[in-house]
Amino acid sequence: IHPIGNIKNIKYNKLNNKSIYLLNNLSKNRYSTIPSFNKSIETCSERLNTIIEELGLNPVYIFEKLDTEDSRKKILNDTKGLSGIYMIVNKVTKDYYIGSAATNRFYARFSNHLIYFRGSKIVKAAVKKYGLENFAFLILELYPNIVTKENNKELLDLEDRYLKLLLPN
């Protein structure tokens, strides 16, 4: 099952009043390695669950309470050795940022954006305004291979598909 496979060909995005024109089969290659049972999805907040449903997402991992040491350790441990597409969600405004992480870099991307503010200036300003506790870090899709110089373009193309599909503000 593809993480965005349950969306119809055209969906109105209530979050930013844009029409999203979906690609029929995002890719002929199926990158996703969605686990059949993901406890973090089951226990996410009602607010985040609403945002996920409105966007038609089926994330592989969901991390909330980003201001706690336990959540940070969980991100570090659960994403070791993985690569793919992530989303940072502001649960107050419903704005989101989409990025890609090479192999074993999810935690670095998380911490650079949300802890050390070495990523997007927009994410930095939002975290300072709304507080880290009002954000979630989602893994939308896993890339099944170790990212190398030779295949990095595939990961970037996958990120580009999500950007075109979800049209973040």
Side-chain angles (χ1 to χ4, degrees), residues 77-88:
N77 293 327
D78 288 359
T79 64
K80 263 191 186 132
L82 301 178
S83 55
I85 308 304
Y86 64 90
M87 176 185 271
I88 297 168

Side-chain angles (χ1 to χ4, degrees), residues 4 7 11 13 15-16 18-22 54-57 85 87 96 98 140 160-169:
I4 311 181
I7 304 176
K11 178 180 169 135
N13 184 338
L15 300 187
N16 55 19
K18 295 178 184 174
S19 292
I20 299 175
Y21 297 93
L22 303 178
E54 285 176 357
L55 287 170
L57 299 173
I85 308 304
M87 176 185 271
Y96 47 90
I98 295 171
L140 297 179
D160 192 50
R161 286 189 198 103
Y162 274 90
L163 290 167
K164 287 176 179 171
L165 181 72
L166 296 171
L167 302 170
N169 287 338

